[in-house]
Amino acid sequence: MRGRTGYRNAEPYLRRDFGFRCAYCGVHEQTKGGSQAFCIDHFKPQSKGGPINDYTNLYWVCIPCNIIKHNKWPTSEQLRRGYRFADPCREQDAGVHFIESDNGLLQPLTPCGEYHIATLRLNRSWLQQHRRDRTQKWTRLNEAYQLRDELKHVIQERPTDEATVTMQRLLSFLSQEIEVLRNELTMAIPMWQSKEHV
Ligand SMILES: [Zn+2]
């Protein structure tokens, strides 16, 4: 990677290394309509002395996060007080610098978390709603798994008759719906907190 735009050659590697998600808000490319809604961000901005073609300074991010972050970087006074960006490549951010509450709001635990959330506006309404939806889907998925297991058990325990055939059709329908929900959740923002997952 050389010159002013050499870093763009890193795109396929960055996409893979960041799991096709925004390094800051965690949104998956597919949720935003594909990779064209994403771009390469210099974690430490070039205008603040960040290297232009150093792979470790390049992050794969959604365009809204990139625009919001722009060339923001903490002042030396802020740095002294611990106000800085959490670096998802070098440290655990979720659970250490911030946690997610049930209503989808990210809450800071440290000055770093406070700076990170506020500067990147990680509680913007779309993201909050997206996290809330994802949490509700997880709950529904867990309920669906439980129902499926109960239904399976009932079918196994009873003699085969007309009602059993209907139950089997229901079971097959439920299994298909579970698959749809599971695929949707694969594209959701990863859970920030450690929750009971399926
Ligand atoms: Zn983002």
Side-chain angles (χ1 to χ4, degrees):
M1 295 188 287
R2 285 185 184 167
R4 282 175 56 81
T5 57
Y7 68 89
R8 290 184 188 158
N9 296 324
E11 180 175 323
Y13 308 101
L14 288 168
R15 289 180 66 207
R16 180 201 60 200
D17 289 350
F18 283 87
F20 308 96
R21 291 180 185 278
C22 174
Y24 304 128
C25 71
V27 162
H28 195 282
E29 285 178 6
Q30 292 309 315
T31 314
K32 292 279 196 177
S35 64
Q36 67 272 21
F38 277 60
C39 62
I40 296 172
D41 179 62
H42 287 87
F43 182 67
K44 185 169 188 182
Q46 296 170 57
S47 61
K48 300 293 190 307
I52 183 168
N53 287 325
D54 180 341
Y55 190 79
T56 61
N57 194 41
L58 305 178
Y59 286 35
W60 188 238
V61 302
C62 73
I63 288 173
C65 279
N66 182 252
I67 291 171
I68 291 166
K69 183 167 172 279
H70 187 50
N71 63 353
K72 297 184 181 84
W73 195 250
T75 61
S76 48
E77 172 58 18
Q78 283 174 317
L79 282 170
R80 198 180 59 74
R81 290 185 292 128
Y83 289 87
R84 60 178 178 86
F85 287 111
D87 187 341
C89 291
R90 293 175 181 85
E91 62 186 326
Q92 178 69 32
D93 48 8
V96 173
H97 293 298
F98 53 83
I99 51 164
E100 181 183 330
S101 53
D102 286 342
N103 61 2
L105 200 74
L106 293 188
Q107 292 181 324
L109 297 174
T110 63
C112 168
E114 197 180 321
Y115 181 90
H116 189 78
I117 293 167
T119 311
L120 290 167
R121 291 178 41 215
L122 292 181
N123 279 326
R124 49 194 193 263
S125 58
W126 184 85
L127 281 174
Q128 242 192 88
Q129 183 64 47
H130 196 57
R131 289 186 211 113
R132 261 203 304 268
D133 289 350
R134 173 261 276 134
T135 301
Q136 281 167 5
K137 278 179 186 166
W138 271 115
T139 309
R140 272 178 50 213
L141 183 63
N142 281 301
E143 285 169 359
Y145 270 116
Q146 212 175 332
L147 268 176
R148 188 195 61 181
D149 290 347
E150 281 174 31
L151 192 56
K152 260 186 188 169
H153 183 70
V154 171
I155 292 171
Q156 277 166 4
E157 293 297 305
R158 50 175 292 125
T160 306
D161 59 14
E162 224 172 285
T164 318
V165 174
T166 306
M167 282 182 186
Q168 271 161 347
R169 281 177 50 213
L170 273 173
L171 181 63
S172 153
F173 177 77
L174 192 56
S175 301
Q176 281 169 29
E177 289 303 300
I178 284 174
E179 213 40 51
V180 171
L181 202 50
R182 235 162 60 94
N183 287 338
E184 279 180 32
L185 278 164
T186 309
M187 299 299 161
I189 296 175
M191 303 297 252
W192 299 113
Q193 289 174 311
S194 55
K195 288 185 181 173
E196 194 63 28
H197 294 174
V198 179

